Amino acid sequence: MVPGVPLPPEIQLAQRLAGNEQVTRDRALRKLQKYIVARSQRATGGFTPEELLKVWKGLFYCMWMQDKPLQQEDLGRTIAQLVHAFQTTESQHLFLRAFWQTMIREWVGIDRLRLDKFYMLMRMVLSESLKAVKTGGWEERQIEQLLQLLTTEILSPDSQAPNGVKSHFLEIFLEELTKVGAAELTADQNLQFIKPFCQIAARTKDSLVLHKITQSIFEAIVEQAPLAIEDLMNELDAQSGEGEGSDEDGGDDDSDEASEDEQDLQDTAPKNQPAGSVSRADLEVDEEAWDDEEDTGPVLQFDYEAVANKLFKLASRQSTPSQNRKRLYKVIQKLRDLAGGIFPEDDVPEKAYKKLLEGRRKRKKKKKRLPTLQPQNKEVGSETEASSADPSRGMKRKRSRKTDEKAGQRGPPGKRRKPGARAKGPRVQQPKRKKKGSSQSAK
């Protein structure tokens, strides 16, 4: 750099964004927002990819220097909302591309203590990028451009994205799409959003990408199916309620139609129920299963048959790896079951597995208590009670008696034995006592 020549504004702002003082960083962030708005309004002379990479390097270290949790959240939201300062879709996509390239480049150097705030920053930037598409009216062209940008930078085979970036992106994509557009997007638009993931799942050779797409995209769609159906039914009920209200305002109908409406009203539960009353629909829902889902908002709607057909078309190709085909066929079967009205049972396999393990443990304990001595006369009763209180003690006694009986039965008559060995048997104890008594009398 020639001395005396001022630095470009991007480099000056990047240096101030990475400064040690928080006041300097906050002031540089406000100046950056104004600079982006002013420069993006020009007909010519927009940002270049190299300039945006310098800007994002300063923003990255601005987030790096912030250690307070609450201020991290505010800072991440302010940085992510910079995408709305750009006036054109092309400049917004250049800004987003530079962000993901910066995260991929700097990911290896992020330590464990700073990892959570950059996870949060990735989530916020993805959310604001979806909001930018929402502002444009969910145009098909903007959706395709955004998805192409994300899949090229993160999930393509030529991408250098670390596994941490891939995993986190796939985990949060459907969640953020649900928060931003679940109330507006149709089933066809949602299919357009997941179509790139279908294509990647069919051809990828990365087992991590295949697992995450299957788990975080397709399995999530299957798990949210009951909520999606409930949301759709509530919407239909609301529309039918509005229709009934308009019919009442319009005038009187035929007597037959009026009687049918009265019958329907009797079958359905009233909207305003007295306190403590329970409707028929409430009895059919398991309260414990839905306690955690009370505050959930709208859920993404999908045409399960269309998703299954799209996946089957891609998975049945000869170029699809066998591992991918097997994994996708399982998902396709679940989606077709949903299309046919068959819903999977929630949490039953895990609970059944835990009960199975507990049952096995109980059986093992019972097996240890089974080998107890059976009382043959009244004198042995006390010994059996003691052995039942301590199972291991009873087992030892049983084994010792069996060995003693076998030792007495299997001894060959012609074999010589040591004198000390015969003293161990139970039948030799009485001669020992006689010998001790005779020796004492002799003294």
Side-chain angles (χ1 to χ4, degrees), residues 308-344:
N309 293 337
K310 181 64 179 177
L311 278 176
F312 181 76
K313 183 179 179 181
L314 295 170
S316 59
R317 293 178 180 177
Q318 295 182 355
S319 59
T320 303
S322 59
Q323 179 182 1
N324 302 30
R325 185 182 295 109
K326 292 179 181 179
R327 192 75 181 268
L328 293 178
Y329 277 175
K330 295 180 181 179
V331 177
I332 291 169
Q333 184 61 41
K334 293 181 181 180
L335 291 171
R336 287 180 174 173
D337 290 343
L338 289 176
I342 303 174
F343 293 89

Side-chain angles (χ1 to χ4, degrees), residues 83-84 88-89 92-93 96 125-150 173 177 180-181 184-185 189 192-193:
V83 69
H84 303 293
T88 60
T89 305
Q92 289 178 352
H93 289 175
L96 295 174
V125 171
L126 178 61
S127 177
E128 296 300 327
S129 62
L130 292 172
K131 289 180 182 178
V133 180
K134 178 182 179 180
T135 305
W138 302 108
E139 292 184 1
E140 184 177 354
R141 181 172 174 272
Q142 293 186 7
I143 295 175
E144 291 179 356
Q145 289 179 350
L146 178 62
L147 293 174
Q148 184 179 3
L149 184 155
L150 296 174
F173 179 80
L177 181 61
V180 176
E184 301 177 1
L185 292 172
Q189 291 174 329
Q192 184 182 1
F193 270 104

Side-chain angles (χ1 to χ4, degrees), residues 373 375 380-390 397:
L373 295 174
V380 193
S382 59
E383 296 181 359
T384 55
E385 291 178 358
S387 63
S388 61
D390 190 358
R397 289 182 178 180

